[in-house]
Amino acid sequence: MRAEIGIGTRMPMISCASGKFLQAHMTEEQVDSLFPGEALPPVTARSLGTKSELKALFPEIHGLGYALNEEEYAEGISGVATGVADKNGTFIAALSVAGPASRFRDEMWIGQLMEAAAKVAELLAGRL
């Protein structure tokens, strides 16, 4: 199985781990401005259907420090993402990894992903 997402590909923020992580760290007003209505546009059969469902994930994302995508952008593909913070602690970007859902295990990637995000944050802050 091969899944390829080319450079410059745009993904709906509601259906990828990076987007969900970044939205979890936005203000409620910012999220509401992105999605004024309650219904969210469907991407796959596993996509979140409502803004309430999306917002219900935010406390878990905050607690874990990462977000998941479970076949929400493309059927058969799952992923995990964490954020890159600036020197003030504001998340300005996200790093993610994805793979075939049948054998993708987020726990295999979370530690390395969070370590890489911390290094990028240090580089941005001029500490490395």
Side-chain angles (χ1 to χ4, degrees), residues 1 8 19 21-22 31 43-44 47 55 78 80 92-93 104 107-108 123:
M1 176 178 208
F21 183 90
L22 291 171
V31 175
V43 181
T44 70
S47 298
K55 288 181 176 181
S78 293
V80 61
I92 57 168
F104 185 82
E107 62 274 4
M108 291 176 57
L123 283 169

Side-chain angles (χ1 to χ4, degrees), residues 19-48:
K20 290 196 289 186
F21 183 90
L22 291 171
Q23 287 173 97
H25 293 87
M26 292 178 175
T27 66
E28 188 162 343
E29 292 78 24
Q30 289 171 317
V31 175
D32 289 340
S33 73
L34 291 171
F35 305 104
E38 177 65 10
L40 297 176
V43 181
T44 70
R46 299 207 44 176
S47 298
L48 299 172

Side-chain angles (χ1 to χ4, degrees), residues 32-112:
D32 289 340
S33 73
L34 291 171
F35 305 104
E38 177 65 10
L40 297 176
V43 181
T44 70
R46 299 207 44 176
S47 298
L48 299 172
T50 66
K51 186 167 48 175
S52 296
E53 289 176 299
L54 174 66
K55 288 181 176 181
L57 296 175
F58 295 171
E60 180 179 21
I61 293 169
H62 282 261
L64 295 172
Y66 60 87
L68 300 173
N69 160 21
E70 298 174 302
E71 300 184 70
E72 296 165 64
Y73 174 68
E75 292 179 18
I77 304 296
S78 293
V80 61
T82 193
V84 175
D86 65 12
K87 63 182 177 182
N88 300 315
T90 301
F91 289 103
I92 57 168
L95 295 179
S96 67
V97 64
S102 61
R103 57 181 192 249
F104 185 82
R105 301 292 171 259
D106 52 351
E107 62 274 4
M108 291 176 57
W109 296 99
I110 292 167
Q112 294 173 64

